[in-house]
């Protein structure tokens, strides 16, 4: 460097008004830019356009893990695949441990108990066969794409991971609320996550898959078509964790020494049924209450309405593995219940919230490889890689002694010769830390005495990167799913895909995915293409075989006995409302374990009709701007002079229209009927006469001119359709979750909300 390029700053005395300016020569001003450019590799420039390992070795196949194969069927992954291990391990360590930001999730404690020993024909695992046991569990629910600070109600897959603290050790079911996955091969997981996460150049978008990279990937990876259909359906925006199915996704095995091995899939069926938000509602809740699902879970537990699920299994004898037209080890496929029925095994109950969020919810660590005697692994290619990846990820995130953290620590004795490592908690006294040792401390346990038993399987074949023949078919099950949906569910799916692809500004991306959809269903592809301005296909890319499965629609999981437990009902009032009606309606709804909230023009006391300002009124839980209709499942408007005030309040009018547009139940009595009919202007709805005590239900709107307060205030003993009793009928309509007929008949399109 020349002397003239060197700038030496020396202290000088100057008046306050003096400004000292130091000018760096051009060579120094650009020095850092030049320095950084040394590490910039522009993928769009130059002739170097091929794939290599981190060591520079050119890679011929990055889509298939090296495995054993007989040419038709595939066996287990081979640990010697240095390229697969490098790719997965690098991906596992891409996120450094952060002090604040982790993936968004929430969790709760509870217990699991089997009904009887019916699963003993498959396994000897006591957690699945011993009805005298009550196994403690911790469940963590989560979203996938967004960061820890993202919103609860985004469209996304929901994690549903369960840790069983059994007497034989910890067992984890690391599942989702969707039974299939985007990829067949674990080696593709880094590619999928990179594609769905915010784009690397601008870290956009957060908590959303509506961008070029995600749809580019799934458009070029048709094995993702089935999972895309599920995520774009109502399953992607659940109403509550409590109203969400769970699936183990991967195929495991159950076995007994000397018995036949069975392939198994695990299912969680919610007691309250499977319900979802509508898209406009989900978008608004993301801003109005981004912690909506988390609060919902903890409020239910606090109120004693403990969330419950039934554990079901599907089991296939190993001898029947190849009897299907799909590969049962393919994680992009489900096992239709018509072919493999569900068997109810036991019940999961969540009854306790964490004491402190971080050490419990954030530090809980799940691994697909955590199994107990009687449960084993299949050659599911996704599971084989997850077993490696999940443990590797926990080592990176929490350290080698992650299993010693209180939330991860087993309740049974942990006795081994593992020692030391960062953040070691346990102090082990003694002189030996190896096996064999002269003191015979911690010897291996034979299977007959409870040691883990690996079912013997014959493996022979060629080691190669390959997928089985049945893994090449990608469209039969997406068709099956689409065909199985109710008309309103199909509409929601079409709208969702249209929304997502509308956010893709590269024509190649949305035109490619239109072709994928055309291989699922011709009408589906045409409607989406028309919405997004893509090329409308003139003939199907593939014939729709017309098959369906009733269990793939959410309607299939409606509770056997209608319920409104923990449903949130807003009661809209202003000064001059009918106090007797409000008391009666609240009493009846709360007798069925629903939760009612008074929403008024202000938070605090609202005065009833016929009472002076000094008379005792009722406390409003929230004001109209504080809690919008999106945060409730239903509305009720009592009669009274307050209707005049409500009619002049644009927020209240919009409040009701929004609830109607979201297909929610609405109840009204007396003069409130005129408010709905003449001021709110609900289209296509029939109302009861204001001077009649009869009850009318029309498109989920329940009205009566004269509410029998004495009758209404009684407990709701049974929720059923009853056109004569207002409260019974209103509760029944709420229990149906939504009135989607409004959408199908075009009524919601006529209301601005």
């Amino acid at each position: 460097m020349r002397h003239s390029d060197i700038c030496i700053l020396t202290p000088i005395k100057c008046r306050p008004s003096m400004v000292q300016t130091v000018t760096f020569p051009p060579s120094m001003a650009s020095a850092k830019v030049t320095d950084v450019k040394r590490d910039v590799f522009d993928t769009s420039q130059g002739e170097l356009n091929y794939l290599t390992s981190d060591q520079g070795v050119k890679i011929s196949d990055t889509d298939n893990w090296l495995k054993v194969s007989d040419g038709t069927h595939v066996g287990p992954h081979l640990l010697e695949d240095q390229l697969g291990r490098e790719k997965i391990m690098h991906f596992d360590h891409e996120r450094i441990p952060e002090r604040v930001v982790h993936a968004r999730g929430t969790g709760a404690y509870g217990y699991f108990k089997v009904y009887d020993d019916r699963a003993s024909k498959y396994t000897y695992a006591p957690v699945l066969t011993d009805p005298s046991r009550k196994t403690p569990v911790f469940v963590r629910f989560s979203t996938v794409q967004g960061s820890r600070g993202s919103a609860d109600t985004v469209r996304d897959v929901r994690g549903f991971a369960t840790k069983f603290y059994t007497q034989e050790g910890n067992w984890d079911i690391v599942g989702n609320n969707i039974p299939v996955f985007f990829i067949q091969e674990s080696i593709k997981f880094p590619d999928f996550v990179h594609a769905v996460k915010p784009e690397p150049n601008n870290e956009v978008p957060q908590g959303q898959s509506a961008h070029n990279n995600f749809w580019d990937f799934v458009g070029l990876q048709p094995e993702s078509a089935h999972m895309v259909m599920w995520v774009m359906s109502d399953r992607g925006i659940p109403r509550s964790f409590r109203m969400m199915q769970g699936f183990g996704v991967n195929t495991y095995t159950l076995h007994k020494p000397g018995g036949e091995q069975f392939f198994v899939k695990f299912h969680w069926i919610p007691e309250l049924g499977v319900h979802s938000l509508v898209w406009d509602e989900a978008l608004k809740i993301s801003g109005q209450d981004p912690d909506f699902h988390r609060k919902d879970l903890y409020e239910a537990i606090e109120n004693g309405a403990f969330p419950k699920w039934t554990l079901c299994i599907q089991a296939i004898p190993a001898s029947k593995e190849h009897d299907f037209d799909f590969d049962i080890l393919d994680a992009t496929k489900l096992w239709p219940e018509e072919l493999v029925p569900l068997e109810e095994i036991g019940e999961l109950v969540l009854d306790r919230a964490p004491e402190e969020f971080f050490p419990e919810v954030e530090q809980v660590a799940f691994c697909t490889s955590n199994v107990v005697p009687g449960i084993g692994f299949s050659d599911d290619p996704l599971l084989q890689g997850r077993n490696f990846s999940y443990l590797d990820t926990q080592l990176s995130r929490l350290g080698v002694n992650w299993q010693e953290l209180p939330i991860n620590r087993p309740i049974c004795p942990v006795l081994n010769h593992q020692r030391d490592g960062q953040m070691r908690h346990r102090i082990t006294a003694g002189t030996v830390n190896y096996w064999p040792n002269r003191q015979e401390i911690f010897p291996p346990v034979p299977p007959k005495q409870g040691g883990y038993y690996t079912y013997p399987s014959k493996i022979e074949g060629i080691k190669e990167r390959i997928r089985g023949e049945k893994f090449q078919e990608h469209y039969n099950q997406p068709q099956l799913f689409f065909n199985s949906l109710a008309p309103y569910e199909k509409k929601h799916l079409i709208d969702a895909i249209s929304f997502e692809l509308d956010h893709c500004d590269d024509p190649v991306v949305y035109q490619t995915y239109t072709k994928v959809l055309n291989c699922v269903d011709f009408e589906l592809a045409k409607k989406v293409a028309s919405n997004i301005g893509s090329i409308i296909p003139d003939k199907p890319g593939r014939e729709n075989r017309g098959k369906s499965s009733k269990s793939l629609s959410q309607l299939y999981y409606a509770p056997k006995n209608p319920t409104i437990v923990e449903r949130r009902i807003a009661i809209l009032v202003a000064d001059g409302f009918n106090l007797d009606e409000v008391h009666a309606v609240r009493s009846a709804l709360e007798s069925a374990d629903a939760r009612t909230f008074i929403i008024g023009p202000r938070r605090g006391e609202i005065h009833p009709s016929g009472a002076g300002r000094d008379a005792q009124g009722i406390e409003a839980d929230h004001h109209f701007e504080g809690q919008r209709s999106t945060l409730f499942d239903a509305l009720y408007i009592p009669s009274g002079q307050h209707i005049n005030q409500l009619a002049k309040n644009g927020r209240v009018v919009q409040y009701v229209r929004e609830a109607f547009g979201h297909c929610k139940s609405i109840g009204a009595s007396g003069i409130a009927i005129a408010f709905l009919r003449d001021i709110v202007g609900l289209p296509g709805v029939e109302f009861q006469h204001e001077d009649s005590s009869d009850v009318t239900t029309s498109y989920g709107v329940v009205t009566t001119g004269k509410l029998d307060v004495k009758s209404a205030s009684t407990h709701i003993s049974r929720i059923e359709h009853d056109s004569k009793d207002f409260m019974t009928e209103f509760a029944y309509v709420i229990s149906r979750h939504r009135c989607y007929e409004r959408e199908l008949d075009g009524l919601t399109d006529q209301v601005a909300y």
Side-chain angles (χ1 to χ4, degrees), residues 8 38 47 91 96 110 171 179 317 328 334 341 461 512 583 699 750:
I8 301 176
R38 293 165 49 198
E47 299 179 358
F91 169 73
I96 63 173
W171 171 38
I328 67 171
L334 52 79
T512 297
H583 282 324
Y699 287 106
Q750 301 175 43

Side-chain angles (χ1 to χ4, degrees), residues 152-166:
D152 277 350
T153 60
V154 298
R155 180 178 296 282
D156 200 351
V157 187
R158 297 305 189 283
F160 192 135
T162 308
K163 185 178 291 293
F164 300 78
Y165 303 95
T166 83

Side-chain angles (χ1 to χ4, degrees), residues 3-12 20 22-24 28:
H3 184 270
S4 59
D5 290 334
I6 300 176
C7 175
I8 301 176
L9 299 181
T10 58
I12 62 173
Q20 181 181 11
V22 178
T23 302
F24 290 93
M28 287 197 67

Side-chain angles (χ1 to χ4, degrees), residues 180-195:
V180 293
F181 201 61
F182 290 100
I183 52 175
Q184 298 170 328
E185 270 275 3
S186 59
I187 200 172
K188 295 299 296 176
F189 197 67
D191 297 310
F192 158 67
V193 174
H194 286 170

Side-chain angles (χ1 to χ4, degrees), residues 422-451:
Q422 189 176 32
M423 301 302 291
R424 177 74 170 182
H425 292 253
R426 186 175 186 175
I427 300 172
T428 306
T431 60
V432 297
N433 57 358
Y434 53 90
W435 178 262
N437 62 74
R438 62 190 180 281
Q439 300 174 21
E440 295 190 355
I441 292 176
F442 302 160
V445 181
K448 290 184 178 180
Q449 298 177 25

Side-chain angles (χ1 to χ4, degrees), residues 314-316 323-326 328 334-342 477 480 547 549:
Q314 289 177 294
I316 297 176
D323 289 2
F324 303 87
D325 64 357
F326 58 91
I328 67 171
L334 52 79
W335 301 353
E337 291 185 31
E338 290 79 6
L339 301 179
V340 189
L342 265 62
Q477 292 212 354
L480 181 74
K547 293 185 177 181
S549 175

Side-chain angles (χ1 to χ4, degrees), residues 660-663 683 742-753:
F660 184 82
H662 294 161
C663 302
R742 291 180 200 161
E743 281 187 330
L744 298 176
D745 291 349
L747 304 188
T748 57
D749 293 336
Q750 301 175 43
V751 177
Y753 60 91

Side-chain angles (χ1 to χ4, degrees), residues 77-152:
H77 285 38
L78 296 177
L79 188 61
E80 76 172 68
D81 187 353
Q82 83 283 10
L83 300 176
R85 284 187 288 109
E86 178 190 81
K87 183 177 180 180
I88 288 288
M89 185 162 59
H90 190 281
F91 169 73
D92 292 342
H93 295 261
E94 285 180 352
R95 299 294 181 269
I96 63 173
E98 297 168 304
R99 289 175 293 178
V100 177
V101 181
H102 291 95
R104 183 167 187 82
T106 195
Y109 292 93
Y111 64 87
F112 172 75
K113 195 174 189 300
V114 295
Y115 299 130
D116 50 38
D117 67 348
R118 70 188 69 177
S120 60
K121 58 182 176 288
Y122 304 121
T123 179
Y124 66 103
V127 65
L128 293 176
T129 60
D130 186 352
S132 68
R133 287 194 180 190
K134 196 173 182 179
T135 303
V137 302
F138 186 85
V139 176
R140 188 174 189 269
F141 303 104
S142 59
T143 55
V144 174
Q145 201 266 11
S147 67
R148 186 180 176 189
S150 58
D152 277 350

